[in-house]
Amino acid sequence: MFKAVIFDLDGVITDTAAFHFVAWKKLGEKLGIELTESFNEELKGVDRIESLRRILALRNQELDFSNEEKAVLATEKNDYYVTLIQQITPNDLLPGISDLLKDLKKNHIKVGLASASKNAPMILNQLGLTNAFDTIVDPATLSKGKPDPEIFVKACEQLLITPSEAIGIEDAYSGVQAINDANMLSVGVGDAETLSAADYVFSTTANLTFEELMHIWELKNY
Ligand code: BG6
Ligand code: MG
């Protein structure tokens, strides 16, 4: 039996992608860079500064800004994003997540959070989930972002387990790569084609139950 489940936040526990998109789009307008929803897909799981770098790269403008200027732009986007996420409430939990968290606790399975978002503690608070996690990795302590496995390995270290004893759940391509490279069982939520590297993909969190996780674990380990 697995000993822990490590969750991504954005797109797995709640859907913040639209808020990120609106905030980046506003910054893009100021810079004269138009952002599309399909490009926004490529920013899922990617940290704030790297997201900005990819946006500037759309117009080959990466080198036009110093690191200090990029930090100011990223802060501007974040200030707007933070105003948008004030509207998140416990009703914004994705389907099935509340029951899954309860069932994991009932069965003494540890629960960790591996999110690239520096706003994760605020979002968990708004969702009423601050006490639902046994550990939260602080992304500010990481040397590399997803797809590097560091964040998932660190979550396991913080829970005093080995990655092979854990399941990771992600909605982003880069996140699934990170889970796989951490040597954990990977579960994707979303498009089966995009997440084809995952050990198992659910089209929606509504189907993500404790029973299903046990089933997948048995298939993988016997
Ligand atoms: C990830 C999101 O969870 O967090 C990305 O999928 C986002 O879109 C990243 O850029 C960093 O978030 P934040 O809140 O620290 O800007
Ligand atoms: Mg995500």
Side-chain angles (χ1 to χ4, degrees), residues 8-12 14 16 44-46 114-115 146 169-172 175:
D8 173 43
L9 174 69
D10 294 320
V12 172
T14 190
T16 50
K44 285 187 179 173
V46 177
S115 169
K146 299 170 189 177
I169 308 181
E170 264 286 352
D171 69 315

Side-chain angles (χ1 to χ4, degrees), residues 28 31-36 39 52-65:
L31 298 169
I33 302 174
E34 197 193 329
L35 298 183
T36 61
F39 173 73
L52 176 62
R53 199 194 61 71
R54 291 189 190 188
I55 290 166
L56 295 173
L58 285 173
R59 289 279 184 285
N60 294 322
Q61 288 181 358
E62 284 166 88
L63 304 176
D64 296 356
F65 297 88

